[in-house]
Amino acid sequence: MPSSTVNQENSRNLLTQVAELLETGSGVEIRNFVHSLYPAETANILEALDIEKRERIWQVMPPNVMGEILVRVNTEVGQGLLKITDRKDLIKAAENLESDDMVDLLHVLPEPLLSEVMESMGVHERNRLESTLTYDDHSAGGLMSLDVLTIRPDVTLEVVMRYLHKREGMPASTDSLIVVDRSDHLLGVLPLADILTNDPSTKVADAMDDKTRGISYLMPAHEVAMLFEQRQMVSSPVVSDNGRLMGRITIDDVVGIIREEADHSIMSMAGLDEEQDMFAPVMTSARRRAVWLGVNLITAFLASWVIGLFEATLEEIVALAVLMPIVASMGGIAGSQTLTLVVRGLALRQVSHANATQLLVKELSVGIVNGCLWAVVVAIIASIWFQDMDLGLLLGAAMVINLVCAALAGASIPMILDKMGIDPALAGGVLLTTVTDCIGFMAFLGLATMFLL
């Protein structure tokens, strides 16, 4: 069985077990079960439970893992949990977090709690975290951890080994040490494997990888994720504009970015926000979705207005009303295929002004080929169905026009939206549907008006 299927089945089993315990189990049984889970598993379960059950689980959580859970649940669920969390427990929860998770938690705390948590820290730790709070959440600076191990280039590997032995532990996901000069400027990295496999008398400068340049603290999060994927990195230093070491990003942060981007893409297509609570109050959810439904209603009225322009034609030839959804539907599907391809290309930075023209020409060519192919099919079917060759030919011609226009719209709309700074995944689908419906109806009914009446 594929690992993804196993993971999905495991998540369903955990949710089922929790639901059964909440129904029939004692408080001790519930506590023992949730204590045995990883924080990410608990976060996933909390998001899948209604508010009442979620609060029952939260009441038995130990403070030392509350912080890790709060930074993993979506924003709206996290805000709800913060309201029922004792202030002392929250301060204790913050004490056990790594610096990058601590920053994530501080970003979601309301002002009174934020001040209390900050005051509970030492001066040095507070100053370090305050500097990172100024960075954008969706940048390398907002993602980075301040927990780094640095060494100088002029010491030997034997000295490095003694230094590591004296430490109580290392930051999570440490695959290499970061080499810096006396001013903390990045010089390179020293993989742990090289420490073990090289002669102990070798100097760090001779064993280190000096090709590593680090990631700018301003780099957007999605570009960080692509860089990790392309270079197969486990961690990377983060540097300032002048090359000074600021922190590091690890693979677990990148996995979080990938999941957030996937959630955002899926939810945006329906006009929803991935940070919303699945079990938010009915009226709250209804109000949010009403906006998107209103936008779609406007586009539907626009398509209906186009049909209304040909009311006399429809009264004369009833068969047109039967066939016209075919043109709009085929255009919508063809356009969606192109739209999805281009939105993905934009997200992966595979589409730019350098290749936009070639991509547009290619998609138009695909639209022409598919338009001609399916025009023949629908023309034959319509001619046989209604015993009218002219009607079949007009349907086929409208099909070609709409599929070509759908390809053009599917490729150009996301590029234009991206240029305007609008998320193509959010608005692209609505605009595309409007274009394909209106052009499909206009082409079919317009041709019918010209040649059949």
Side-chain angles (χ1 to χ4, degrees), residues 47-59:
E47 290 182 353
L49 294 173
D50 62 51
I51 296 175
E52 182 183 347
K53 293 178 180 177
R54 188 182 295 159
E55 291 180 356
R56 287 183 61 192
I57 294 291
W58 193 244
Q59 288 169 359

Side-chain angles (χ1 to χ4, degrees), residues 184-195:
D184 281 337
H185 289 96
L186 176 66
L187 300 177
V189 296
L190 179 63
L192 295 181
D194 290 351
I195 299 176

Side-chain angles (χ1 to χ4, degrees), residues 395-440:
L395 180 62
M399 182 76 71
V400 173
I401 293 171
N402 203 24
L403 261 65
V404 171
C405 290
L408 177 63
S412 59
I413 285 174
M415 293 184 194
I416 294 170
L417 291 175
D418 186 63
K419 201 75 174 176
M420 295 171 62
I422 301 172
D423 185 358
L426 178 61
V430 175
L431 293 176
L432 176 67
T433 301
T434 304
V435 170
T436 54
D437 282 356
C438 291
I439 290 180

